[in-house]
Amino acid sequence: MTAQDWIYFFPAVSALSLIVAFFFTRQGIGSDKGKPDMQKIAAAINKGAEVFLKRPYKVAAALVGLLLATFAPTLAYAQTEHTGGGEANLVLPDLSTVNFLGMNGHALLMIGLLFCVGGLLFGLAIYVQLKNLPVHRSMRDISELIYETCKTYLVTQGKFILLLWAFIAVIIALYFGYLAPVPNKPIWVTLPIILGFSLVGIAGSYGVAWFGIRVNTFANSRTAFAGLRGKPYPVYAIPLKAGMSIGMLLISIELLIMLCILLFIPRDYAGPCFIGFAIGESLGAAALRIAGGIFTKIADIGADLMKIVFKIKEDDARNPGVIADCTGDNAGDSVGPSADGFETYGVTGVALITFILLAVHDSTTQVQLLVWIFVMRVAMLVSSSGAYFLNGAIAHAKYGNSDEMDFEAPLTSLVWITSIVSIILTFVVSYFMIPTLGDGTLWWKLASIISCGTLAGAIIPELVKIFTSTSSSHVQEVVTSAKEGGASLGILSGLVAGNFSAYWLGLSMVGLMSMGYYFSTGPSMDSLMLAPAVFAFGLVAFGFLGMGPVTIAVDSYGPVTDNAQSVYELSLIEAVPGIEAELKKDYGIEAKFERAKYLLEANDGAGNTFKASAKPVLIGTAVVGATTMIFSIIMALTDGLKNGKENLSLLHAPFLLGLITGGAMIYWFTGASMQAVTTGAYRAVEFIKANIHLEGAEKASVTDSKKVVEICTKYAQKGMFNIFLAVFFATLAFAFVEPFFFIGYLISIAIFGLYQAIFMANAGGAWDNAKKVVEVDLKQKGTPLHDATVIGDTVGDPFKDTSSVALNPVIKFTTLFGLLAVELAVTLNAGNPVLGRVLAVAFFLVSVFFVHRSFYGMRIESKESN
């Protein structure tokens, strides 16, 4: 063995030795209490897995140290062989070299910053309006208590995300610091910038999530209070206003950061900064979405099951799980979607930028396409805000003084108006921005491709409503099945709805992508870029987000309506002495308590439907957008499609094996996330049943409520830690197996993830609204039918709000991180192929360890086995 071989062999053997030591110096497999329940060897393998519950920072430090110990001895050799590649070589063109509308591209985009500021002011103005809306102190106190628990959760999650960032930082540092530095630039300048922008991405996801819970916890109590007037319109208008506040601020901040990179970062630094930003926001979104989804469903199931066990009402103030449930509504249904939405818009933009820089060789065309895309992003803000005000005027004229209202109707019209306005604006902007691009026909072809995606943003919600709306025949069938067959038949009918929905939504996406592909064919596109079909798919994903603020708004509508119903019950406002006289005197309200409860409950059904409608839009964007990002990896591996294209074939065995492997990871992830919910819910139910006091108590103690929140947080973080590390090390392992195996793997998780997410989201939505039909339309609370639909809803909870929604950031994080992982693998394998095999095995063993922990370290230990 040569000296060069030893340079590679030593860290690989060290890695395997450390892994074996990590496995076999630990004890205790099995329960979430950490007690051994298997043979000695199994016990020895798993003892240390309990450490991360008690000392996660130590475990993280050990694993980060393992990464450094593995790679550090190879760096000196690797650096002498490679002077930069991949994303480190992405250099933005000079935007000032091309004129648009009488000014150069740089100056035009500077104006875009003003629109971003306008969007921020729009969001903040609504924030102030919501804060100043009238609300009774009993309701305000509950919403503030919910906000305080949300704050505690978010602070804890912030520390946890920084812990996870340490793993990403090691890979970024190795890649951009040593193996592929920005050419001709000092590492001590470039590396901190890239790492800094990964933190900016995390801060963006985290910041909009925090803003989202603050807005929603203002809106929930104000919505509950507005219901006392007995009119439906304010109960609809307040949650939507809160959603638009979040949507406008979210898109404005994301666009502002990306414009700042584009306009103020030196052109040869900007490419890596975009990648760092995208990875950071993807990590933040994945952590908040997965952990939030686990948290909210632990709390939701724990609170809901008490209705069956003790025959108490929805959101009974004596139930210690209700506050945790309200916190979870924000942690899972507000924090998660806000962070996820922020990441989705950023990653899709980065994917298109990367494609343009890699596939388009003419610098003038690069400038034209880049400026056009960012102007289109500004147009999103304009079209969404304009459609919101137009739809608001129509809804107010129609329902402002009405006593009855279909809450879904104005939300549906908002989506369609926004889609139509966005499509018109797309063609107008394209005509004026790029009239001479290519042969002069490309402006309308590109506008048509984006419009396919924008149309999907309206069509997909319509298809989702067929399977999840309270008026849906599928939801009615769930109810009918449950009447005769109880929870069993109700659950089977929900599974049918989910499977059918995956068929129709899948075909609709294929149809719209095919239209985009059709417009991309022809010599005019072929002459401008490589693989124009891939660019078309990226633009379809971009079009999915063409009405971004409205998509976020209707998604955020749900957690506000859900919380509003809970706030009303928890406030015990009807029991406040002299409340009717007080409301008459101070607010001029003739309180209609029963009417308010009916309106809040009915509106929650609309919230459920539109929460469901936004999920396939986001997962569709992830999958279609991942196509563009995967193309960037293919470009790097094939030297710009010049060599090795034959490996992208079913005849190349590693590529086929990668396609099969991706499905395994998706189904593991689904099970792991649901296992975390199951075990956490078991512990929550165990505690609530032991501590609920129905006699002589008006409401649960704050101490008991906080304990339930603590249980939810513990299992959310425990589940997230296992899942993240399994995904992280699997990505490294599969990248080191073989580059085209990894390409197949990425394609596979996108496709499997798409259908799994749609199926689970819509099955869960059908079960959720079946329960709402029984409660609101049939008025059969407390009956066996209600119990059956509650059980169906608890099955659907982790389906729709944990596993399905988290697949979106998991797909994008894996693809983005894969950009670095595969380059790292190719670079380190260049000197000695043995290195890749050894490291692939080493990383795979670590991944399997955490896959193993995601079940065996989370499973419920029966009391009989204690």
Side-chain angles (χ1 to χ4, degrees), residues 8 733 735-737 825 828-829 832-843:
Y8 286 100
F736 274 89
V737 167
L828 288 176
N829 284 341
N832 189 337
V834 175
L835 176 69
R837 300 189 188 98
V838 175
L839 288 181
V841 172
F843 291 132

Side-chain angles (χ1 to χ4, degrees), residues 3 29 63 108 153 185 411 621 647 800 833:
I29 197 170
L63 289 173
L108 181 62
Y153 167 78
K185 300 292 181 183
L411 294 172
T621 304
N647 293 328
K800 64 185 174 64

Side-chain angles (χ1 to χ4, degrees), residues 355 449 516-517 520-522 525-527 529-537:
F355 178 93
I449 294 171
Y517 166 70
S520 72
T521 57
M525 290 282 281
D526 290 335
S527 63
M529 64 186 69
L530 298 171
V534 176
F535 186 56
F537 294 151

Side-chain angles (χ1 to χ4, degrees), residues 155-280:
V155 169
T156 305
Q157 282 301 99
K159 296 175 183 177
F160 193 61
I161 291 170
L162 289 178
L163 164 68
L164 301 181
W165 174 78
F167 292 91
I168 304 300
V170 169
I171 303 302
I172 291 175
L174 288 169
Y175 183 67
F176 288 115
Y178 292 93
L179 300 179
V182 178
N184 305 316
K185 300 292 181 183
I187 292 174
W188 58 270
V189 174
T190 59
L191 185 57
I193 289 176
I194 297 168
L195 287 171
F197 272 99
S198 71
L199 289 172
V200 169
I202 291 173
S205 292
Y206 188 76
V208 296
W210 196 299
F211 180 80
I213 65 164
R214 179 66 278 189
V215 167
N216 283 353
T217 48
F218 279 149
N220 59 18
S221 55
R222 277 68 175 175
T223 302
F225 184 75
L228 292 173
R229 298 182 185 275
K231 296 287 186 180
Y233 181 77
V235 175
Y236 145 82
I238 294 172
L240 183 59
K241 182 176 286 192
M244 278 301 296
S245 174
I246 298 168
M248 289 294 289
L249 184 126
L250 182 154
I251 302 300
S252 297
I253 290 179
E254 182 272 329
L255 181 56
L256 181 65
I257 294 172
M258 295 192 73
L259 280 176
C260 286
I261 296 175
L262 194 67
L263 295 173
F264 303 122
I265 298 294
R267 293 186 293 116
D268 44 0
Y269 288 88
C273 290
F274 275 124
I275 299 297
F277 172 66
I279 290 175

Side-chain angles (χ1 to χ4, degrees), residues 9-30:
F9 190 71
F10 173 76
V13 172
S14 300
L16 282 174
S17 301
L18 286 169
I19 293 166
V20 171
F22 186 72
F23 270 61
F24 285 96
T25 57
R26 310 302 184 189
Q27 331 170 355
I29 197 170

